[in-house]
């Protein structure tokens, strides 16, 4: 029995390791178009690898159905430890490798592949996939009984996975960048490089976190999360002092003067606040609590952490098997499931890889 996995990212590598972990007699081949595995994992969490989150719930995903039906079947943190990755907890439930280095995760998983004798083909781009009587044929040369698409998405990568899956009859939900900086109609060049802890409000929702001003827009964790929801012409209201109410600020100014408040902010940010007001004290305070920016567009896929859209979940079983093609599985970010920042998307990658692998092994034994 031969399983081919297209894609050597998180979900594909985890699926390959898990198949061999559960049944060492199965032949597994991972086909990767880059010159190394886990390329995207090596960059996540600013190089520290925010590997997953403890607080997995529906509020962090656009669609929670596949996760909800599978998350009680396996404890991913324990499986990562079983595969050699010791974890430690950061803020807001974020889990990292104990070393706080993404390289550790890549090295350990790559070692596991070698120890378990998983075949790895690097620098190999899949250009065609065909159904044959015995399973699937890849690039008119590689035959397999089971085929796994773990190809990732357009985010920070080139992929033809959507075309390949379309050729097998799958519907692709329109894609766009997700968890990505935003370009705004208002100029931000004068604020470039300023980072500030804020609360943002938009479309009856809110996020807190660090805001970063870019040369033509906004970035930072709270903005990235909001980007999954925001569209052109949507307005973001920024509260620059979320710990203080407007009445608190009035009291501060009455006791210490406006200059005291001015000294709180970087000079260029204060100048922006004043220029957006009518220069009266109450207008300045209101601007501090409600500095508005209008979305012009998103940055492109090269700066996106994930892709919104992909293969419709309506075409995938709870075991991540295609409803249209027997023994074909689709994992991770290739599916139209998008999570917030904080390890939620990597969690889905590990989970889909494990459940897929378990199902393939069970099908072999049945």
């Amino acid at each position: 029995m031969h399983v081919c996995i297209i894609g050597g990212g998180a979900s594909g590598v985890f699926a390959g390791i898990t198949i061999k972990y559960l049944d060492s007699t199965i032949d597994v081949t991972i086909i990767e178009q880059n010159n190394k595995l886990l390329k995207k994992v090596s960059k996540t969490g600013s190089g520290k690898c925010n590997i997953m989150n403890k607080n997995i719930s529906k509020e962090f995903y656009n669609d929670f159905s596949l996760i909800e039906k599978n998350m009680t079947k396996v404890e991913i943190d324990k499986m990562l430890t079983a595969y050699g990755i010791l974890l430690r907890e950061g803020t807001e439930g974020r889990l990292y490798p104990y070393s706080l280095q993404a390289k550790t995760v890549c090295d350990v998983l790559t070692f596991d592949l070698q120890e378990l004798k998983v075949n790895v083909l690097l620098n190999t781009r899949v250009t065609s996939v065909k159904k044959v009587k015995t399973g699937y044929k890849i690039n008119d040369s590689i035959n397999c009984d089971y085929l796994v698409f773990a190809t990732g998405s357009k985010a920070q990568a080139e992929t033809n996975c959507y075309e390949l899956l379309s050729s097998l009859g799958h519907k692709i939900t329109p894609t766009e960048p997700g968890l990505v900086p935003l370009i705004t109609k208002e100029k931000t060049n004068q604020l470039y490089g300023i980072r500030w802890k804020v609360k943002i409000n938009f479309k009856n929702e809110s996020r807190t976190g660090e805001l970063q001003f870019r040369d033509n827009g906004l970035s930072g964790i709270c903005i990235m999360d909001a980007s999954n929801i925001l569209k052109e012409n949507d307005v973001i209201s920024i509260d620059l002092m979320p710990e203080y109410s407007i009445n608190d600020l009035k009291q501060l100014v009455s006791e210490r003067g406006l200059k005291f408040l001015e000294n709180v902010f970087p000079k260029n940010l204060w100048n922006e606040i004043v220029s957006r007001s009518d220069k009266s004290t109450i207008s300045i305070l209101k601007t501090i609590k409600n500095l508005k920016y209008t979305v012009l567009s998103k940055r492109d896929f090269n700066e996106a952490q994930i892709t919104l859209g992909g293969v419709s979940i309506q075409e995938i079983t709870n075991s991540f098997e295609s409803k249209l093609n027997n023994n074909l599985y689709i994992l991770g970010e290739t599916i139209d499931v998008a999570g917030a920042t904080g390890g939620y998307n990597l969690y889905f990658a590990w989970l889909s890889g494990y459940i897929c692998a378990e199902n393939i092994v069970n099908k072999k034994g049945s």
Side-chain angles (χ1 to χ4, degrees):
M1 176 175 160
H2 186 202
V3 179
C4 275
I5 301 170
I6 305 175
S11 61
V13 167
F14 209 66
I17 290 171
T18 302
I19 290 170
K20 297 291 283 188
Y21 185 85
L22 298 175
D23 187 339
S24 61
T25 68
I26 298 175
D27 290 327
V28 179
T29 299
I30 293 177
I31 304 172
E32 169 56 48
Q33 66 179 353
N34 292 305
N35 61 3
K36 63 180 180 179
L37 301 171
L38 301 164
K39 185 176 180 180
K40 195 171 178 182
V41 172
S42 69
K43 297 185 287 185
T44 187
S46 300
K48 294 190 297 184
C49 194
N50 183 186
I51 204 165
M52 60 172 286
N53 199 293
K54 287 179 62 179
N55 306 319
I56 302 298
S57 62
K58 63 181 180 181
E59 66 185 284
F60 298 106
Y61 295 90
N62 69 325
D63 192 300
F64 195 60
S65 55
L66 284 172
I67 299 171
E68 188 172 32
K69 291 166 184 172
N70 285 299
M71 61 186 297
T72 58
K73 297 178 182 178
V74 57
E75 295 180 83
I76 293 298
D77 54 343
K78 291 185 178 178
M79 289 311 303
L80 287 165
T81 301
Y83 294 166
I85 301 168
L86 186 63
L87 305 180
R88 65 163 59 180
E89 187 173 348
T91 59
E92 298 177 319
R94 290 177 169 87
L95 294 178
Y96 298 87
Y98 201 83
S99 66
L100 295 179
Q101 294 184 35
K103 185 177 183 298
T104 298
V105 176
C106 298
D107 288 348
V108 169
L109 295 180
T110 300
F111 177 79
D112 288 344
L113 291 173
Q114 294 170 348
E115 287 292 291
L116 292 167
K117 295 181 171 55
V118 174
N119 305 307
V120 177
L121 302 178
L122 299 176
N123 299 307
T124 305
R125 184 174 177 82
V126 174
T127 56
S128 68
V129 173
K130 298 175 183 177
K131 292 176 71 172
V132 295
K133 287 185 178 180
T134 56
Y136 296 89
K137 184 181 285 286
I138 301 167
N139 291 352
D140 293 322
S141 60
I142 303 172
N143 291 291
C144 61
D145 305 290
Y146 290 79
L147 179 60
V148 179
F149 272 83
T151 44
S153 69
K154 295 180 180 179
Q156 303 178 35
E158 293 183 9
T159 181
N160 61 343
C161 66
Y162 306 117
E163 292 80 4
L164 292 172
L165 285 164
S166 293
S167 73
L168 294 167
H170 277 282
K171 177 183 177 182
I172 308 299
T173 304
T175 59
E176 61 179 282
L179 300 182
V180 66
L182 298 172
I183 298 172
T184 60
K185 291 184 178 179
E186 296 79 8
K187 301 297 183 184
T188 57
N189 298 39
Q190 70 279 13
L191 303 172
Y192 178 78
I194 293 176
R195 297 172 182 264
W196 200 253
K197 182 71 177 292
V198 302
K199 178 180 180 181
I200 63 172
N201 298 288
F202 57 96
K203 302 183 75 166
N204 298 317
E205 298 205 30
S206 64
R207 300 286 189 277
T208 58
E210 185 181 76
L211 173 77
Q212 180 182 355
F213 289 95
R214 298 280 297 267
D215 53 350
N216 62 352
L218 307 172
S219 187
I221 289 175
C222 58
I223 293 296
M224 304 282 254
D225 279 338
S227 74
N228 284 3
I229 301 170
L230 290 166
K231 305 293 182 184
E232 183 180 359
N233 294 321
D234 284 340
V235 175
I236 305 169
S237 170
I238 302 172
D239 184 347
L240 293 166
M241 297 185 72
E243 302 88 350
Y244 293 84
S245 68
I246 189 74
N247 289 330
D248 292 334
L249 295 181
K250 288 178 183 177
Q251 185 66 30
L252 275 174
V253 171
S254 68
E255 292 174 355
R256 298 172 178 264
L258 192 60
K259 186 68 176 177
F260 174 79
L261 202 56
E262 176 183 347
N263 290 334
V264 168
F265 293 94
K267 181 179 179 180
N268 286 352
L269 183 53
W270 179 258
N271 291 341
E272 180 70 11
I273 293 166
V274 173
S275 70
R276 296 282 206 99
S277 70
D278 66 11
K279 309 300 188 292
S280 68
T281 297
I282 187 61
S283 180
I284 289 172
L285 298 184
K286 286 181 176 179
T287 304
I288 288 171
K289 298 295 290 180
N290 185 23
L291 181 63
K292 292 183 177 179
Y293 286 89
T294 307
V295 177
L296 181 63
S297 66
K298 298 180 179 184
R299 297 258 183 171
D300 62 24
F301 282 105
N302 289 330
E303 293 195 51
Q305 291 186 14
I306 63 169
T307 294
L308 306 181
V311 176
S312 170
I313 62 168
Q314 304 304 320
E315 299 178 350
I316 300 169
T317 70
N318 294 340
S319 299
F320 297 92
E321 185 174 7
S322 167
K323 292 180 180 179
L324 309 181
N325 303 278
N326 290 336
N327 300 334
L328 184 145
Y329 293 78
I330 305 170
L331 308 183
E333 204 180 322
T334 308
I335 306 169
D336 185 12
V337 174
T341 58
Y344 297 101
N345 292 291
L346 262 180
Y347 171 82
F348 182 60
W350 309 127
L351 179 68
S352 62
Y354 185 92
I355 296 298
C356 155
E358 186 179 59
N359 188 254
I360 288 173
V361 172
N362 289 341
K363 284 182 79 172
K364 180 205 172 191
S366 62

